Amino acid sequence: MRRLVAETRLSVDDLVAPLFVREGVDEPVPVSSLPGVVQHTRSSLVEEVRQLVDLGVPAVILFGVPDHKDAVGSAASDPEGIVQVAIRDLRDRFGDEVVVVADLCLDEYTDHGHCGLLTTDGRVDNDATLERYAEVAVAQARAGVDVCAPSGMMDGQVRAIRGALDSAGGEDVAVLAYSAKYASALYGPFREAVDVEIADGGDRRSYQQDWANVRESMEELRLDVAEGADMLMVKPALTYLDVLSRARAEFDLPLAAYHVSGEYAMVHAAAERGWIDGDAVALEQITAVVRAGADLVLTYFARSLAERLQ
Ligand code: PBG
């Protein structure tokens, strides 16, 4: 009877697996703050995606960990940069079997760890950053990406990326906008996964959302729709179910939620201590995210959920 009347059904079709690929390593490198997550080599990435595809996971989102970081994040748009070669590897191997999404940002590639370029006095330069995002989008498109996912929260980033894609033969590349991305304390483990430390103990509050606000997020979502986003995202997930639910009510575009590194790490840490049943909590949490309105969920639990949802 419970099955018959269930209102929400989590399916493997809803899952997007975040994957890290690191330049210049021969073996996968475990991320200590994210049990079960590694920085992949090019070949271990291909193997991991093979297994995810076989489990029915429809999409992956790639994050690069480059060897070389500099002030402008050059490696992010280098045709031979780690994410571009990884996209080509996956495209060659899997064709249309998997949707390849690439996170589009500079923080993994800049030596100061900010998501954008800095002015001489150390502030993030929104408009100069847009030109770099456009170059990154074109590099990802030429490598064969299906979806660019700008995560830097710069004003006007969706319009800049859409325009660059359209004028460089990337008309078919979709834009998944991290529209309502909060300046959350839950990204800690991710920063270890991508070796990012923000210079001078800085933070991202000048460009990410204040966690006190929801109307402001609705405005950010509206702007991204107007700028040409194909899909919208709320991030993190659980702390912002109200934002997701309001977004669901207002927008008909596909809606994504990112269950982030800190959310995953907390479940693991408590489960390790025997305080909670980690598998049950993971299923409960991700189902709640879908119940609140997400069509797709980016989650480090993608693989283990896919195994259990068979
Ligand atoms: C920025 C980016 C971040 C995450 C995804 N893209 C980190 C940040 O904004 O500091 C976080 C993902 C997670 O915590 O799982 N490129």
Side-chain angles (χ1 to χ4, degrees), residues 103 107-108 151 181 187 190-191 204 208 235 261 300:
D103 186 78
D107 64 322
E108 293 108 52
S151 64
K181 175 174 177 182
Y187 307 146
F190 173 91
R191 293 188 188 150
R204 307 206 195 290
Q208 298 181 346
K235 174 187 175 185
S261 58
Y300 304 95

Side-chain angles (χ1 to χ4, degrees), residues 22-150:
R22 178 164 168 183
E23 192 169 24
V25 287
D26 299 326
E27 292 292 326
V29 182
V31 180
S32 64
S33 54
L34 292 173
V37 175
V38 300
Q39 295 175 328
H40 281 287
T41 67
R42 280 175 67 182
S43 67
S44 75
L45 179 77
V46 171
E47 267 165 54
E48 174 80 17
V49 174
R50 173 82 268 156
Q51 291 171 21
L52 289 165
V53 168
D54 289 346
L55 286 165
V57 174
V60 298
I61 178 165
L62 300 181
F63 296 91
V65 188
D67 253 357
H68 164 77
K69 303 191 188 214
D70 59 26
V72 297
S74 315
S77 54
D78 181 345
E80 295 309 316
I82 185 63
V83 160
Q84 278 68 251
V85 297
I87 293 168
R88 285 202 296 271
D89 287 344
L90 298 182
R91 195 81 294 152
D92 290 349
R93 184 64 76 93
F94 301 105
D96 283 343
E97 274 188 290
V98 67
V99 176
V100 179
V101 186
D103 186 78
L104 196 168
C105 196
L106 292 180
D107 64 322
E108 293 108 52
Y109 305 91
T110 52
D111 48 16
H112 47 72
H114 274 292
C115 297
L117 304 185
L118 300 185
T119 58
T120 43
D121 61 353
R123 299 167 66 88
V124 173
D125 186 339
N126 189 96
D127 292 3
T129 300
L130 298 183
E131 292 172 28
R132 288 289 297 129
Y133 285 0
E135 291 166 359
V136 180
V138 170
Q140 294 178 343
R142 294 204 169 126
V145 84
D146 295 303
V147 183
C148 288

Side-chain angles (χ1 to χ4, degrees), residues 153 177-183 207-225 232-236 239-240 242-244 246-247 250-251 255:
M153 288 299 283
Y178 285 72
S179 305
K181 175 174 177 182
Y182 284 84
Y207 41 103
Q208 298 181 346
Q209 298 292 107
D210 184 342
W211 61 51
N213 295 350
V214 59
R215 293 192 301 271
E216 186 185 31
S217 286
M218 298 309 288
E219 193 57 20
E220 291 282 351
L221 287 151
R222 263 176 232 125
L223 287 168
D224 283 354
V225 174
L232 304 170
M233 196 196 300
V234 172
K235 174 187 175 185
T239 327
Y240 302 95
D242 59 327
V243 185
L244 261 178
R246 283 187 59 167
E250 183 163 333
F251 304 104
L255 185 60

Side-chain angles (χ1 to χ4, degrees), residues 172-186:
D172 291 342
V173 175
V175 175
L176 163 58
Y178 285 72
S179 305
K181 175 174 177 182
Y182 284 84
S184 172
L186 289 161

